[in-house]
Amino acid sequence: MIISDRHGYAFIRLHRTGSTSVSRHLNVFEDKWSDLVEQIASREDLEMVAGKPVDPHHVPHFIARHFIREKLDNYFSFTFVRNPWDRFVSAWKYLQRDVPLNEKYPRYDSKLSIPFSEFIENLEKDEKPEAWQYLSLPQSHFIGNPDFTGRFETISDDLNLICETLRLPIKELKKQNSTTRKDYKEYYTPKTKNIISKLYAEDIERFKYTYE
């Protein structure tokens, strides 16, 4: 999560929804910005509240409220969501990359080398790798009820609306951490399609996403 005291906003970052691109876009307007884990709470404090590992760059709304409730209540809050079927193809491709050792957050550096179907089937299991704990959480549970919910599919236009609300200059968005792949529907079987339909039914209903 990104908090800007200067501009009065809270950006609830979600995995594989363009959060890195949006964060770097907004950073140019800041004299100083704070990533929740580094400025507001230690990783140990975050994990004490959560009761399990927390990705320090993608802190769920319900955990952040333990530390910055007043800011979340008073600042303009926003987030971006993504079609669940598309999002998990992107996640699988991203986790396949070669990752350099990160001494600060070593538990989140791993190369995924399993087939896509196995990756999706593992989402149903109770025991998941630590790095998947919040990746597999429905977006609805992660974000709470922000003031504005943008969509990855219209990320540039929605970010412009956010900048207008915050009275920030409109600039072209530069995409970061994107993956090269085929259309997401080419990766699914009827079984894996239905797994996503079941696990992320709340997201599909709330954000009106479809498989087509």
Side-chain angles (χ1 to χ4, degrees):
M1 182 177 291
I2 300 297
I3 304 295
S4 171
D5 292 325
R6 180 182 182 188
H7 296 291
Y9 69 74
F11 172 33
I12 306 164
R13 295 176 44 143
L14 269 166
H15 300 84
R16 310 311 301 156
T17 60
S19 63
T20 299
S21 301
V22 172
S23 296
R24 292 181 181 176
H25 183 90
L26 294 171
N27 187 30
V28 301
F29 306 124
E30 300 294 331
D31 290 331
K32 176 183 178 182
W33 69 343
S34 60
D35 195 323
L36 178 62
V37 70
E38 295 177 349
Q39 300 293 333
I40 300 170
S42 68
R43 177 173 178 165
E44 289 74 20
D45 286 343
L46 291 170
E47 295 189 349
M48 184 176 296
V49 169
K52 57 184 177 181
V54 175
D55 180 338
H57 298 295
H58 302 86
V59 179
H61 180 270
F62 59 85
I63 295 177
R65 287 190 67 82
H66 285 268
F67 303 97
I68 53 170
R69 179 182 298 271
E70 184 175 351
K71 290 183 179 182
L72 289 175
D73 287 341
N74 292 288
Y75 283 7
F76 176 74
S77 60
F78 62 92
T79 191
F80 284 86
V81 297
R82 185 173 186 171
N83 180 306
W85 293 281
D86 184 36
R87 183 172 178 240
F88 281 97
V89 172
S90 175
W92 176 70
K93 292 292 288 187
Y94 184 72
L95 290 171
Q96 287 182 315
R97 74 204 192 286
D98 288 311
V99 188
L101 177 64
N102 184 332
E103 295 181 357
K104 191 172 184 181
Y105 305 122
R107 285 185 285 181
Y108 298 97
D109 281 337
S110 59
K111 186 176 180 180
L112 189 71
S113 58
I114 61 176
F116 179 72
S117 59
E118 184 177 344
F119 172 61
I120 296 300
E121 290 168 11
N122 282 341
L123 294 174
E124 290 189 297
K125 298 178 180 179
D126 292 332
E127 294 297 327
K128 304 181 185 70
E130 291 179 0
W132 298 13
Q133 292 293 334
Y134 290 102
L135 172 63
S136 61
L137 191 70
Q139 296 168 99
S140 298
H141 294 187
F142 198 102
I143 65 175
N145 294 290
D147 297 309
F148 181 86
T149 300
R151 293 172 180 265
F152 177 83
E153 295 79 14
T154 53
I155 189 169
S156 294
D157 291 340
D158 289 344
L159 182 56
N160 286 343
L161 290 174
I162 291 167
C163 288
E164 287 178 5
T165 300
L166 297 171
R167 299 183 179 180
L168 296 174
I170 303 298
K171 296 182 61 177
E172 182 181 357
L173 176 66
K174 296 180 180 179
K175 293 186 177 181
Q176 309 285 337
N177 288 345
S178 59
T179 57
T180 301
R181 57 188 177 81
K182 299 175 290 187
D183 182 272
Y184 71 86
K185 292 187 287 295
E186 296 189 37
Y187 294 86
Y188 284 92
T189 64
K191 179 180 179 180
T192 54
K193 173 190 171 184
N194 289 334
I195 289 174
I196 297 298
S197 298
K198 181 177 68 174
L199 292 179
Y200 303 99
E202 185 175 346
D203 287 348
I204 293 165
E205 172 61 27
R206 178 176 176 181
F207 306 120
K208 307 303 179 188
Y209 278 119
T210 65
Y211 183 73
E212 301 303 327

